[in-house]
Amino acid sequence: MRRLLMLSASVLALAAPLITPSAARAADVTTADTPDATAGADATTPELVISANRERGTATNLAVGQASLSAVQPQSLLNSHFIQDVASPISDYLAIAQFAPSASSSSPNGMGLSSKNATVRGFQDGEYNVTFDGIPFGDPNAFGHATTSFFPAPTLDHVVVDRGPGTASTVGNATFGGTMALSSNSPAESFGGKAMVGFGSGGGFEGNGAVNTGAIADTQGTRVLLDYDHTQSDGLLNYAGLNRDNALVKVRQPVGASTTVTLFADYSDLTWNNFTQQTRAATAKFGKSFANLNDDPNSQQYRDYNVDHRKADFEYIGVQSDLGFLRLDNKAYTYALDDKAIAGADQTGATPNAALLSSGVPGAHNQGYYRAWGDIAKLEKDVGEGFLSATVRTGVWAEHARDTQFQQSYNLATGVITALTPYRKFGSVINNYITESDTTQPFVELEWHPLPDLTIIPGFKHIDFSRTFQGTLNFAPYNNRGTTAPTWAPPWSTTA
């Protein structure tokens, strides 16, 4: 069994002509003139002062997880120092979250190199909530997540693993299992940039570059962050390679003294070799690095017959405003995943070619595409004094999602569409359907502070979810619609 090792180096690119402080990757560097330099023109040689950032390397900043004493429910914070200095640079968010208590992740091909499921408190992917900058996202079919396609480690500032269902204002389709809350990096106040390259075992390579414009005075303090990341690897498993490019832009625009508008866009292009879990007999015969892939073009396990190409995007427009008497936070968003793949009919190798086709290599072409549009709005206001001091919070999350799936059998060796022998009477189309879902979750809650160290949060949330299904699933036609019964959040939460 090969082990994944990554070595990386980073370089700061800062504003010229002076080297300015940066909190991105390295120690702070500043310049100061000598007394002689200010006294006469002949002595102009500057003194270079290098100072280390003591707090960056402290146990607190590099701890595997941090916990807040004011949290409503048990949670762990994995901060930017941990992500940048401890976690593998090719990590996906699961490879980061797995360091939190009660969270675990299996990635046999190496951290960040396989979209595999994680668990939180024993709940599987699809049974817990995942948010990005406060926006719930996921596959609208089963609420799972394509972890290798969304938000690699360099795009994240911190990750919070909340091991509880949250309060009424915690929105999402599967909050009962807890929440992984991902937060993006913010554009910096000053101009600067960073570059990082890493090399590792398994042909691993990581390259990342980011540029911050700093606050642009001519546009009332606009700040822009640009980030590009490239990852490639042959994988720790045989023939299980991966190649990914991710580009991100985030803009913060102040509007007046109390409002900020945020524009965000992230795009990912990923190609990898599909692999499956091998049997114990296959492991004994081929070794632990075997992934049901080989280099035989006459086999359903041929690596070039088992390839997945995914394109993903995630965009939102956010408005945060403090009007004095009221605070507003609204995000309108959309995200999508376009997944095109080919695969052998039985990648385990248990079914011979001749059992499925008279000649050639049996396989299937799979194409899936989903897009979600939504909005999450929150209003809050501080009321009362002393024993009656409280914050009233209300809002709504609404989302519409559309998912199309198509799967057709064909001869992988010739590229000719054909029905597999056992299913010839049904034709070559295995799946061809459209699902649409609508979610609405209005909520209201009261964050009451009767004592300085006591908070009580009663709340109410109504959940409405409906889904339609039309098309062919496993050769059979369906036309169904389902709607959930009204659901309410837990009546209260208390923290002291």
Side-chain angles (χ1 to χ4, degrees):
M1 170 68 90
R2 292 178 291 180
R3 300 184 180 219
L4 180 66
L5 301 173
M6 285 294 293
L7 299 175
S8 64
S10 60
V11 177
L12 296 177
L14 303 172
L18 296 180
I19 302 176
T20 58
S22 172
R25 289 277 182 173
D28 293 336
V29 182
T30 60
T31 58
D33 290 340
T34 63
D36 291 339
T38 59
D42 292 334
T44 59
T45 302
E47 177 185 356
L48 181 66
V49 179
I50 301 176
S51 59
N53 185 340
R54 288 187 177 184
E55 293 186 359
R56 184 176 181 83
T58 61
T60 300
N61 281 324
L62 297 181
V64 171
Q66 300 174 352
S68 171
L69 296 179
S70 61
V72 175
Q73 295 169 138
Q75 64 176 219
S76 297
L77 167 67
L78 301 155
N79 63 22
S80 59
H81 298 294
F82 176 82
I83 294 174
Q84 295 173 5
D85 299 334
V86 178
S88 169
I90 62 173
S91 296
D92 56 13
Y93 66 82
L94 289 185
I96 298 170
Q98 69 178 349
F99 289 96
S102 80
S104 64
S105 176
S106 172
S107 186
N109 201 34
M111 289 184 292
L113 301 179
S114 54
S115 186
K116 296 301 177 183
N117 293 341
T119 62
V120 177
R121 297 169 46 239
F123 290 102
Q124 299 179 2
D125 188 26
E127 297 175 346
Y128 56 81
N129 197 30
V130 181
T131 65
F132 181 78
D133 285 353
I135 299 170
F137 74 97
D139 184 332
N141 265 339
F143 311 139
H145 301 85
T147 59
T148 53
S149 293
F150 289 97
F151 316 123
T155 67
L156 299 176
D157 178 74
H158 61 274
V159 175
V160 175
V161 178
D162 196 329
R163 296 181 289 279
T167 64
S169 62
T170 305
V171 294
N173 284 316
T175 58
F176 58 87
T179 296
M180 284 189 191
L182 318 178
S183 295
S184 62
N185 292 310
S186 294
E189 291 284 352
S190 58
F191 172 79
K194 65 181 177 70
M196 183 274 290
V197 293
F199 300 88
S201 57
F205 172 80
E206 172 89 2
N208 177 265
V211 176
N212 280 287
T213 64
I216 303 174
D218 293 341
T219 55
Q220 301 181 352
T222 305
R223 292 179 288 153
V224 181
L225 167 65
L226 301 172
D227 185 283
Y228 171 76
D229 184 78
H230 175 76
T231 301
Q232 67 183 55
S233 174
D234 295 333
L236 297 185
L237 301 176
N238 295 336
Y239 306 113
L242 177 144
N243 190 300
R244 180 183 62 217
D245 292 284
N246 193 93
L248 176 152
V249 58
K250 187 174 184 179
V251 181
R252 284 278 179 87
Q253 176 62 57
V255 180
S258 59
T259 301
T260 301
V261 177
T262 302
L263 305 176
F264 177 89
D266 183 272
Y267 301 95
S268 173
D269 192 320
L270 167 72
T271 302
W272 63 336
N273 290 101
N274 286 315
F275 61 91
T276 59
Q277 183 176 2
Q278 67 270 31
T279 63
R280 183 174 297 180
T283 300
K285 182 177 180 179
F286 300 108
K288 294 181 179 180
S289 296
F290 182 64
N292 289 318
L293 295 169
N294 60 36
D295 58 356
D296 179 7
N298 295 314
S299 168
Q300 297 173 57
Q301 299 172 315
Y302 183 43
R303 58 183 177 182
D304 290 346
Y305 293 160
N306 295 276
V307 179
D308 198 346
H309 184 199
R310 294 178 176 179
K311 292 184 178 181
D313 65 85
F314 192 108
E315 300 87 11
Y316 72 80
I317 300 175
V319 178
Q320 291 180 308
S321 186
D322 187 347
L323 305 176
F325 65 94
L326 194 68
R327 292 185 294 276
L328 164 70
D329 188 348
N330 187 86
K331 290 186 177 76
Y333 66 90
T334 182
Y335 62 86
L337 178 68
D338 185 4
D339 189 355
K340 296 182 176 67
I342 57 173
D346 183 358
Q347 200 176 337
T348 66
T351 307
N353 295 349
L356 300 174
L357 281 181
S358 57
S359 64
V361 181
H365 170 261
N366 306 279
Q367 183 170 344
Y369 178 82
Y370 67 74
R371 179 168 290 280
W373 301 264
D375 188 273
I376 179 170
K378 295 181 180 180
L379 295 173
E380 63 179 31
K381 178 179 176 60
D382 297 326
V383 297
E385 295 181 358
F387 179 77
L388 298 178
S389 175
T391 298
V392 179
R393 187 175 297 111
T394 186
V396 62
W397 171 52
E399 181 181 276
H400 173 78
R402 177 184 172 91
D403 181 25
T404 62
Q405 297 289 331
F406 181 81
Q407 185 180 31
Q408 188 171 36
S409 59
Y410 78 114
N411 190 325
L412 293 169
T414 62
V416 176
I417 296 172
T418 182
L420 301 181
T421 302
Y423 312 103
R424 185 163 295 168
K425 65 179 181 179
F426 299 110
S428 63
V429 176
I430 304 169
N431 296 312
N432 184 18
Y433 60 84
I434 298 174
T435 61
E436 294 190 67
S437 60
D438 291 282
T439 304
T440 307
Q441 295 186 12
F443 62 86
V444 60
E445 67 181 22
L446 179 71
E447 188 175 316
W448 178 31
H449 308 285
L451 299 173
D453 297 323
L454 175 65
T455 300
I456 301 174
I457 312 177
F460 171 85
K461 175 169 64 178
H462 173 79
I463 300 175
D464 184 80
F465 178 84
S466 63
R467 172 180 288 163
T468 61
F469 183 100
Q470 293 180 333
T472 301
L473 176 63
N474 291 330
F475 304 110
Y478 289 90
N479 188 352
N480 296 327
R481 179 179 180 85
T483 303
T484 63
T487 306
W488 292 269
W492 63 79
S493 300
T494 305
T495 178

